[in-house]
Structure formats: C-alpha cells, structure tokens
Amino acid sequence: MSNLNKNSGSESDEPIESKSQKKTVNVQALFNKIESIKSTVSLTNADRSEFWIQRQNLLDLYHQIILNDLEFTIDKRIEQDLWNLVFKNQINHFQTQIKENSGSQSANVMSKSKLSASHRKLEAQANLSFFLEAARGFYTKLLDDLAKKYALNEKRKQNNCVNVSFYQRFPSLFDQMSSDLDWIEPTREKQILYLCQHTLTHLGDIARYAFQFHEAKNYYLHAIKLVPYLGHPYNQLGILFETSRTNQLSAVFYYIRSIATRCTFPLASTNLENFFHKIIDTQISRYQSQLSQKDLLGLFLQLNAIIHSLESGKNSKSLNSNCARLKSFFDLFKSSFQNFINSQSFEKLDSSQLCQIVSICIFQMSQSASTLVQSDVKMKENFEFAAKTALDLVLFFLNQFMLHYSKNDRLKNLLLPSIYLTTSFIKNYKNAYLAKQNILFSYNENASDNFETLVSFLNGLNSQLASVNNDQECDDYPLDEERMLDGFVPLREAHAHLNFKKYMSNSQLMSEDEEKEIRKARIIGTFERLAQIDECYLKSVDGPLKFTSKQCCPFRRESFNRESKPEQPRRRRQNVALSSMTGQMPNKNPLQENLHSSQAVNQVFPSFASPSVANRPNQTAGYFPSAFSRQFTPHNRMPSSSGFPNFLPSQNSISISSTSNMDASMEAKVLNNEAYMSNLLIQQLMNSTRNEAGNNPIEHNFNMPNYGQDFSNSIWSYPNASDKN
C-alpha cells in the first residue's frame, strides 16, 4: 500500500505538456494494459503484496491516459473506472470490516487464535484512514497536473500548507479558466472543466469518508462553482447533509438541484424518493400548535414529500388518501408558519434557508407529469392537485414575505432575496401566466388582501429605493441568490441575461448594500413589466405611489367574491304600498279617490304625517315624505301567529278624531280603506322578508333623503317596550 502514494509524492519541475510533445503516448495500448490487469485485481487477494503492485500499475496507466487524451478519457469513462475500481471498492471493503467487527465484538472476544474484534476494528480504521490519505494525495496531484498540462496554474501561489483555501491553491481554475480561455476551443474547455470538477468531487468524497464534513462541503461547493450545470456534486452534497443529519432542508435542496440541472445525476431521484419515503408517514398529530424551527422545517419537508408522491405516482400507499392528507398538512403549515413568522425565532433563519425553501416549492411546481401519470385518470387528477398546492405554497410565501417585510431592518435583509427569487420565477413562468390570469392575487379567497399587500409592498419598496442604477454594466450582474442557483433549470429563463463567468472572482463582486439596491430596482422593474400586460390588474403610474389598480380590477372584497358570470341587472322591487298611496298603480284602486284631504289620513295613520310636512313648500296633500325613510329591524317583519304584524297598530288602537270640518261620509270612506292599506303594507313587508336571504334588504331599494329623522310617531316604531319581544 505504501507504493500507492509514490506517484503523488514526486513532482517534476518540467511541465508535462513539454514531455508529451517529445513523446506521443499510445493511449489505446495503455487502455489494453488496463483491461488485462483488471481481471487480476480482486479483493479476495487484498492481503497479498501482488495486489497492491497491480493497483499501483493501474494508477500509473489511468494517470497517463487522463493527462494525454481528454477525449479518449471521457469516451471510455476512464475517470469513473479509476474511482470505482481503484478507490471506491477498497473503501467499501474497509468500511465493511469496521462494521462487522463492531457487531461481533462480544462473540470473538475470547478467541485466542485471532486478534480480538476490537483490535481488528482498530486495524481496519487505521487502514481506511491511511488509504484515504493516499487517495487524497493522488487526486490532488492529478488536479495539479491537469492545471500544469493546460497552463492553468501559472499564477498558482506557492503555499505548502495543506489546509489552505482551494482558491489560493488553484486560483486560475476559476479566474483564468472563466475569462482567458479564448485560446482553447470550446469542446476542449468543457473537457478540462469536467475532469477538474470530477476530481474535486472525489476529493470531497474522500473527506466525507474521513468524517471531515466541513472540508468535504468546501470541495463540493468548489466543484459546483466550476461547472454548475453538472448534477454529480449536488447529489454528493445532499448525501453529506443527509448522513451527517445536520441540515435535512439542505439535503432535499441539493437533491433537487442535482435533478433540475442540464446534466442530471441519475441516482439523485432515487436518493430524494428514499429520503421522502422515510418521513412521509409521520402523523399530523405529532405537530403541536406552536412549532419550533426544527419542527416547522420538518412539517415543510413532509408536505413536499406528499406533493412529490402525488406528482410522481410512485407512492406505495393509496394515492386517494394522500390528497386529503396533503390538504390537512397544507392548512396546518399555513397556520403554523403565520405564527412562526411573527415570532422572534423566525429572525434566527438566514436568507439562504428561505431561498432553499422557495426553490424546493418552485421545483415541485415546475414538474411535468410522467407517462405513467398521464395514462391514469386518477393519478393525473392527483398530479394536478399536487401541482396546484405547490403553486399556492409559492404564492403564500410571497404574500407572507411581503406582508412582514417592513417590520424591521433585520427582516428586510432576510426576506428580500427570497422575494426577488420568487418574482423572477413568476415573471418567466409560462410567459407570465400568473400575472395574465391574475392568479398572483386571486389564488385563494383573500384576493383583495393579497392585492393590497402587493401594492403596499411595491410602493413602500419604491420609496426606499435610493437611486436606480441605469448603468448597463449591472444588467448582467448575478446577485447572491442567483449565484447560489446558477444552473437551476426552472430559473433558466430568468438567468438568461446574467453573466456568471464574468463575476466569479471575489474582487469583482459588489457589496451587500449595492446588491440590495440592485435587488430592489429589479423587483420594481419586474412588476412594471407585469403591469404592462393588458389582462393584469396591476397598474404602474408616475408619482410617489407608483403602483395602483386598473379600472377593471375588482380589488374590493365584495367584488372578488362574485362569481365570474355576466352581471345581470338587479330588478328593482316596486313598493306596492307607497305606489298605491301616491296614485302610481293604475291597475289598483287609487287611494286618492277616497282620500279627500291629508288631514283624514293623518288622523287614521298618524305616522304618515311628517313633522315638517306643513313647512314644505309646494307639497300636495298626497305626498308623504316620511314614508320613504322608514327603518325597521328584520326580526320584527314576519307576521305573528294571528296573521297580523305586531308592529302595526291594531284595529282597536286606531282612533279617528272627528273634527268640525269632516263630515260622516268622508269618515266612512277613510275607515273602509283602512283594511285595504293594511293588506298592501303587510304584503310588501312579507316580500321584503323573503328577499333577505339573497342579501337584498328592502333598505337598499328605498331612496332615503330624510334618513336620520325622528320617527317616534311612526307605525315602524314600537308603541311600548313590551312590543319588542
């Protein structure tokens, strides 16, 4: 095993490129030698010295092929065979020995012919540690040789420290590779980047096997930054977070990133499904009313597990029950998140976690139905329900973030990146479909509140904007959350105008305050473009309140609650009693034929006599202004058991005061019309009571010019307190 690190310990001062020019290597002959040695290398003879000699020969052959022919290396998958045959199988062998001796320690502790189980375990751990260090040395040397081979490390700093930053050791891989590789053809550049990323990824794997999680994370992140559209390092990061159990949210996020890339890593989908399978069956009773940050994130992941099972159609249990479970978990999460965002625990989150949450929802929302799902009607319905829930979840987060944005400066810095991320997706999702259909506001029953929250946030954000930078050089600048999601397929259109390679060096990045102003200006610009859509209810104008609603916008709550049907003209109910009293009903017996003076009517029905009728100029005797302003409580409109309303004066309560100028014939005519007038009033009041179920009270049909008068002398008022019951 000591020979394994032999090749990595020596470094020639002469560039490898010059050596390859002096002597052309026949890579096909080297590959044939590898195929002949493969059969002799087996873990069954791992204890023999010949085994390690053959392994060292394989390392030398693989190393020569990778450095001399990139195209042949990628075509024959030399780099994958190198990792699996020489390194991964041996690492698995040592891990199996450690596990077996840990479980059989009590059974073999008394054995005299062999070493005790604890000693064998320690020996296997020591062998694994030594082997991992040798593997680390080989891949570090390989990466350095690649940089020398293609003149990528001419600016490399001479630093002998092992744990220095990777940027300090290989700065040219990120600086010169991203901007000064015009002399290399594009195909060759991609090959170099792929091999460098492959090497970085396995350096991260080696650190992960050695339980050096922080170093492993750094290697994976460097690999992602080098080539963001390859899914392998994302999957390895997901495995790192899942196995270390430090951040389950990041595990799901990186599994999703590995799937939603241009070159998907095949095992990422399986890893994501296995992770969701572990948490999907958790009962909803586990979650209390007041959830901690850990429980809330667990509830969020379980909610996405149910969504994913309905969208993929691969859940082993009944899919029919999952729709009901999804709605229950979604309602619980909304109420729990609204409580959590108002607590101080919410401020302990960082903006990257919120961006991960939004990205997971965007991924679920962007999924397309598979052939299996489309072939089954029920599975297709479940898929559509799950996709709609994911959409509601995205818009719910956007509404909550906008609603709480202005609470304090800490929340502003925390929420604004995720708001910008969501609006960038909405702008390009299905050609601004959410804005054209106004789903952005009316995705739930609180459409009016959603619209007001959005307008208030945009106007407040516009007032906070110090100065809009019109410099065209900033248009292609990627913000921090965009750099984090470089290569994310659902945001591909939103990132099309950004130049990620131009701003890879830390010296080229802007300060946080400068990025904050750019972020605000871009959010305002996004909604200005959405407001230009004819179907969108949002309107952009000049002035301090930049955003408002269009005339066609039903931003009032009662307007949002109406069904989207053509509005029919409301039929105005005719007041039969009043029309009959004013002589406007030709088909009825006119009252004015029998009422020769207003004095007689006022004596029969004192309530019709307005207190100010005598003072009104040009008023005829048949005009009763107080009748148009009657107000009465709904619960006293129904007739009593005897068929006569309690609030009308009974026959015994009506008294006519005969005067000297009123003869007996006129008094008889008035009394004969009393029953007719009472029946008309009762009929009108009963019709009004029936229409109250349609939210159409009679008060809305009255023209009430004298509303607020004193109607103590009225038939609508109670003669005494006992009549209220």
Side-chain angles (χ1 to χ4, degrees), residues 123-166:
E123 183 182 7
Q125 289 176 340
N127 291 335
L128 178 60
S129 299
F130 178 79
F131 187 81
L132 291 176
E133 287 299 323
R136 189 201 308 270
F138 174 83
Y139 275 105
T140 303
K141 178 66 167 54
L142 177 62
L143 187 62
D144 195 20
D145 289 343
L146 285 172
K148 281 185 177 182
K149 173 74 176 181
Y150 301 101
L152 301 178
N153 65 341
E154 294 177 354
K155 303 178 182 179
R156 183 167 75 95
K157 297 181 179 180
Q158 299 299 327
N159 197 328
N160 296 325
C161 181
V162 177
N163 293 323
V164 297
S165 171
F166 189 81

Side-chain angles (χ1 to χ4, degrees), residues 162-421:
V162 177
N163 293 323
V164 297
S165 171
F166 189 81
Y167 290 108
Q168 292 178 335
R169 298 176 65 189
F170 303 99
S172 56
L173 285 178
F174 301 96
D175 298 334
Q176 187 178 350
M177 176 69 75
S178 60
S179 58
D180 300 331
L181 284 183
D182 296 336
W183 55 275
I184 299 180
E185 60 185 47
T187 303
R188 177 60 61 87
E189 178 185 355
K190 293 179 180 179
Q191 294 171 351
I192 297 172
L193 291 175
Y194 167 74
L195 287 176
C196 290
Q197 191 210 51
H198 179 84
T199 305
L200 285 170
T201 302
H202 290 314
L203 282 171
D205 293 336
I206 293 168
R208 177 166 56 87
Y209 292 138
F211 299 99
Q212 299 171 351
F213 295 138
H214 182 71
E215 185 176 354
K217 176 183 175 182
N218 288 335
Y219 277 120
Y220 291 143
L221 291 177
H222 293 329
I224 289 173
K225 186 173 183 180
L226 192 62
V227 188
Y229 54 83
L230 296 180
H232 188 194
Y234 295 108
N235 179 76
Q236 303 307 101
L237 260 177
I239 295 175
L240 174 66
F241 284 110
E242 182 180 0
T243 55
S244 62
R245 298 183 180 181
T246 55
N247 193 337
Q248 302 299 308
L249 176 66
S250 295
V252 175
F253 170 74
Y254 284 110
Y255 283 146
I256 284 174
R257 289 298 315 274
S258 182
I259 298 171
T261 54
R262 192 192 312 172
C263 299
T264 300
F265 189 69
L267 295 179
S269 298
T270 303
N271 293 335
L272 181 64
E273 291 176 3
N274 292 338
F275 178 85
F276 280 154
H277 182 73
K278 297 176 183 177
I279 64 175
I280 193 173
D281 294 329
T282 305
Q283 298 299 322
I284 196 172
S285 58
R286 174 187 179 277
Y287 303 101
Q288 304 297 328
S289 57
Q290 296 293 335
L291 299 181
S292 62
Q293 175 181 331
K294 181 180 179 180
D295 291 337
L296 185 69
L297 293 178
L299 177 60
F300 171 76
L301 294 179
Q302 187 174 1
L303 177 64
N304 280 272
I306 302 175
I307 293 175
H308 184 77
S309 68
L310 291 175
E311 290 183 337
S312 62
K314 297 180 180 180
N315 188 30
S316 59
K317 295 189 176 182
S318 174
L319 294 177
N320 298 332
S321 61
N322 269 350
C323 285
R325 291 187 72 233
L326 177 58
K327 186 178 184 306
S328 301
F329 274 89
F330 185 41
D331 294 339
L332 175 62
F333 178 79
K334 287 192 296 183
S335 60
S336 301
F337 186 82
Q338 289 173 344
N339 296 331
F340 181 74
I341 199 173
N342 291 314
S343 64
Q344 295 181 353
S345 300
F346 180 77
E347 299 184 11
K348 296 180 181 179
L349 295 173
D350 56 63
S351 59
S352 62
Q353 287 179 297
L354 294 181
C355 290
Q356 288 180 355
I357 290 174
V358 172
S359 301
I360 293 173
C361 298
I362 290 175
F363 169 81
Q364 302 281 28
M365 177 180 166
S366 305
Q367 292 299 293
S368 58
S370 62
T371 306
L372 175 65
V373 173
Q374 291 179 350
S375 61
D376 187 272
V377 177
K378 186 60 179 179
M379 293 175 65
K380 187 175 181 180
E381 293 178 355
N382 293 339
F383 173 87
E384 294 175 353
F385 181 80
K388 175 63 169 57
T389 304
L391 169 62
D392 293 345
L393 191 57
V394 171
L395 298 180
F396 168 76
F397 280 128
L398 179 62
N399 178 266
Q400 290 297 310
F401 293 160
M402 289 182 173
L403 187 63
H404 295 82
Y405 170 77
S406 301
K407 281 191 172 182
N408 53 58
D409 294 336
R410 165 65 179 161
L411 283 180
K412 290 180 180 179
N413 298 329
L414 179 63
L415 297 175
L416 196 60
S418 55
I419 294 176
Y420 171 68
L421 185 64

Side-chain angles (χ1 to χ4, degrees), residues 427 435 460:
K427 178 183 66 175

Side-chain angles (χ1 to χ4, degrees), residues 92 95 101 136 169 217 265 365 510 621 662 678:
N92 292 339
Q95 289 176 338
N101 289 295
R136 189 201 308 270
R169 298 176 65 189
K217 176 183 175 182
F265 189 69
M365 177 180 166
M510 298 183 181
M662 182 177 180
S678 298

Side-chain angles (χ1 to χ4, degrees), residues 443-478:
Y443 66 95
N444 59 12
E445 65 277 4
N446 301 322
S448 179
D449 294 340
N450 299 337
F451 187 86
E452 292 176 2
T453 299
L454 175 64
V455 171
S456 177
F457 165 77
L458 292 176
N459 290 329
L461 192 67
N462 185 60
S463 63
Q464 298 171 8
L465 192 61
S467 60
V468 179
N469 192 354
N470 294 324
D471 190 0
Q472 297 297 327
E473 296 181 357
C474 296
D475 291 344
D476 61 347
Y477 179 80

Side-chain angles (χ1 to χ4, degrees), residues 496-514:
H497 67 286
L498 302 176
N499 191 343
F500 291 92
K501 292 184 177 181
K502 181 179 177 181
Y503 301 97
M504 294 189 71
S505 176
N506 291 333
S507 60
Q508 297 173 312
L509 300 181
M510 298 183 181
S511 63
E512 292 184 4
D513 293 336
E514 290 175 333

